[in-house]
Each structure stands twice: as C-alpha cells, then as structure tokens.
Amino acid sequence: MASSVSVLLLLCMAAAAASAQLSPTFYDTSCPNALSTIKSAVTAAVNKENRMGASLLRLHFHDCFVQGCDASVLLDSGGEQGALPNAGSLRGFDVIANIKAQVEAVCKQTVSCADILAVAARDSVVALGGPSWTVPLGRRDSTSGSASLANSDLPPPFFNLSELIGAFDNKGFSVTDMVALSGAHTIGQAQCKNFRDHIYNDTNINQGFASSLKANCPRPTGSGDGNLAPLDTTTPYVFDNAYYTNLLNQKGLLHSDQELFNGGSTDNTVRNFASNSAAFSSAFAAAMVKMGNLSPLTGSQGQIRLVCSKAN
C-alpha cells in the first residue's frame, strides 16, 4: 500500500513538473530572437493575405484539440490533415514551414513547431487588431498524429449547443471559454458545404442574410461545395466582437454559430460579448492560454522537429 501511494505521488509530481515546464521565458536564453522572428514572419504573411491570420489561428486550434498542442496536425504522414474536419480546408502550412526555416536559421533545433503554432496564433490575432496574451512556451513536437481523434474531437459545424458544450468540456473548457473561443469566427471563411443546411433548412436565420448566401451556395450537394463565405460579414478581416452582434441579428454563418444565441444557456454571454468588447477580448485571451496548455509534450518527451511536416 505504501509503495503504491509513493508511486502515485511520484506520478503526480511528474505531471506537475511537466505542466510547470511551460514558461513565457523558455527561449530567453536559448533563442532570444525566436518570438520577434515569428512575429515579423506572421505579420508579413497576414499583410500579404489577410485571410492567413484566421488560417494560422485555426491550425493552432485544430492541433491542440487532437492529442494536445504537439504540432501533430503539421505532419504530412500523421493522418490528421486527411481527417474530415481538416481535408481541403486547413491551410497555412507553407507559412509555418517558412517561419520554421527562419527560426532554424537563428537557432538550430531549439524552437518546437508546436510553440511556433501557439505564438503564430497569437500574433495573427494581434495583426488583425485583436488582443494579445502571454504565450507559455516549452512544448515539444510529437512524432505521430491521429486521424481518428481529429474526426472525433473537433466539433463539426452541425453541432447543437449541448454537443458544443460537451466537446469543449471534454477538453476542460467552461461554457464561457467555449463561447469566447467561438469568437475566433470573427475572422476567416467557411465552405458552402459547411453552412448549406443552415441557410436552406434552419429557421433561426435572418432570411435576407440566408438569401444573400444562396447565390454562391446552391442547394444540391456537390454543387459549389468549396465556395467560401466570410464567417463575419460585417468586418471579415478585423478581429473584433462583431461576430456576437451578428448572432444577435441571426446572422451566424454556421448552424453551430447561431446555436450560441438561440434561446439557450449561452444567450447572456453572447449579449455580454456583443456589448462589451473588452470582456470578449479578456475572455478570449484567457481561453487561448488555456487551450495552449492542452496536454503539451515537455522535458524529454517528443522531439524538436527540424522540419515541421515530418518527424526527425
């Protein structure tokens, strides 16, 4: 009994040590120019194509929700890129590869791809006018991915409110965290196949808004599936709280978006974020830090990939 208790204590201490190893100052000595290198590269990429900010933010989210923030989504052979939520829609891999090359030129095999994703997500939000936050660092990269976990853990656009709450609760997020993270949809675009059912079949949508989308998203499945529409039609390339104002007006693009304001338990949170941009910014930043802490590999776990698309 005593030995099993001591083993348990050791395991708890090891887990605590692993999470404690993430620190904002992790590269201060080993690669002091890492963060400035990432920031300048992200800013250049977003200035070149403003949609890229949303793509880099989404990459970080789709990485962390699948076996933790370990850059598994970047592996060409990891399987995650071909999973249903990712195939044909994830983008920004070339930008991350370019950033990694620049960081490698400054500090050889020091900065992980997982940390680059976390910092690039923050810098993308800032480049589009959104809040900043301090990113804890020290993640390491996995050597494999999981298509099955990507299919099961990433919430799809047809989820209802209880399913959304459950999917985020499974990762340790509160309901407020979930509503705040959904605010990432104040930037970016979605494919017709992901909002077709909402504009043709749902009743909780502004009819003028639905009509404006139908021309570019025909009803027959397979027709215009990849056609894009902005998730926030008001200010599609500015990171602000307009997403929530849109929801108040039944102008959420995805079924899952409008579920946040549809007579349910999250209505008041949406109203608060719509009327108080500072409250949204604060909640979003806090939730992003929490997301970046999802099951990171630290210490001697994993590796520091030389190229983000493949294990060493």
Side-chain angles (χ1 to χ4, degrees):
M1 178 69 180
S3 63
S4 64
V5 170
S6 61
V7 169
L8 191 62
L9 278 170
L10 282 170
L11 287 172
C12 290
M13 288 166 65
S19 61
Q21 283 173 356
L22 287 192
S23 161
T25 60
F26 189 83
Y27 297 114
D28 281 10
T29 303
S30 62
C31 192
N33 294 321
L35 295 186
S36 59
T37 302
I38 297 169
K39 186 177 181 68
S40 61
V42 168
T43 304
V46 174
N47 286 342
K48 182 180 178 183
E49 185 202 359
N50 44 18
R51 184 186 167 202
M52 187 52 68
S55 298
L56 295 177
L57 176 59
R58 186 168 182 249
L59 267 183
H60 178 48
F61 172 69
H62 281 231
D63 177 37
C64 291
F65 254 59
V66 182
Q67 67 183 32
C69 306
D70 61 357
S72 56
V73 73
L74 300 178
L75 289 168
D76 285 343
S77 60
E80 290 179 28
Q81 293 178 22
L84 277 173
N86 297 334
S89 66
L90 274 190
R91 54 198 303 278
F93 298 109
D94 53 338
V95 172
I96 295 297
N98 175 49
I99 294 171
K100 175 64 170 172
Q102 290 187 44
V103 172
E104 283 295 313
V106 177
C107 310
K108 190 74 172 174
Q109 205 169 358
T110 305
V111 181
S112 68
C113 300
D115 276 347
I116 288 174
L117 280 178
V119 175
R122 189 268 313 271
D123 292 345
S124 292
V125 170
V126 172
L128 293 172
S132 186
W133 58 91
T134 301
V135 180
L137 301 163
R139 300 166 192 80
R140 288 168 65 86
D141 302 324
S142 65
T143 55
S144 62
S146 173
S148 61
L149 284 178
N151 284 324
S152 65
D153 290 9
L154 288 164
F158 53 79
F159 261 15
N160 62 30
L161 182 59
S162 63
E163 290 170 323
L164 288 169
I165 291 171
F168 280 80
D169 178 65
N170 286 341
K171 301 294 180 184
F173 291 107
S174 69
V175 175
T176 300
D177 291 332
M178 184 272 289
V179 178
L181 288 172
S182 299
H185 286 180
T186 189
I187 53 175
Q189 302 183 47
Q191 296 179 340
C192 162
K193 65 181 179 182
N194 289 323
F195 61 83
R196 176 183 281 120
D197 285 349
H198 182 50
I199 65 174
Y200 285 104
N201 300 332
D202 288 347
T203 55
N204 62 338
I205 183 170
N206 178 286
Q207 289 308 302
F209 177 61
S211 296
S212 71
L213 293 162
K214 289 175 180 176
N216 195 40
C217 185
R219 188 160 206 160
T221 301
S223 178
D225 280 5
N227 292 351
L228 297 169
L231 287 153
D232 167 16
T233 55
T234 315
T235 49
Y237 299 114
V238 180
F239 196 98
D240 55 19
N241 64 335
Y243 168 80
Y244 301 102
T245 308
N246 294 338
L247 296 185
L248 298 183
N249 296 313
Q250 292 194 313
K251 292 183 179 179
L253 182 64
L254 304 177
H255 175 84
S256 55
D257 289 325
Q258 198 58 56
E259 279 290 293
L260 301 182
F261 189 78
N262 193 36
S265 60
T266 52
D267 281 14
N268 283 337
T269 307
V270 171
R271 288 191 188 97
N272 180 38
F273 289 164
S275 64
N276 189 337
S277 60
F280 163 55
S281 292
S282 176
F284 182 80
M288 285 298 293
V289 172
K290 189 183 285 191
M291 188 170 75
N293 283 332
L294 284 177
S295 307
L297 299 174
T298 57
S300 59
Q301 300 170 317
Q303 60 182 211
I304 305 296
R305 283 186 225 142
L306 285 163
V307 177
C308 287
S309 59
K310 62 182 182 181
N312 296 341

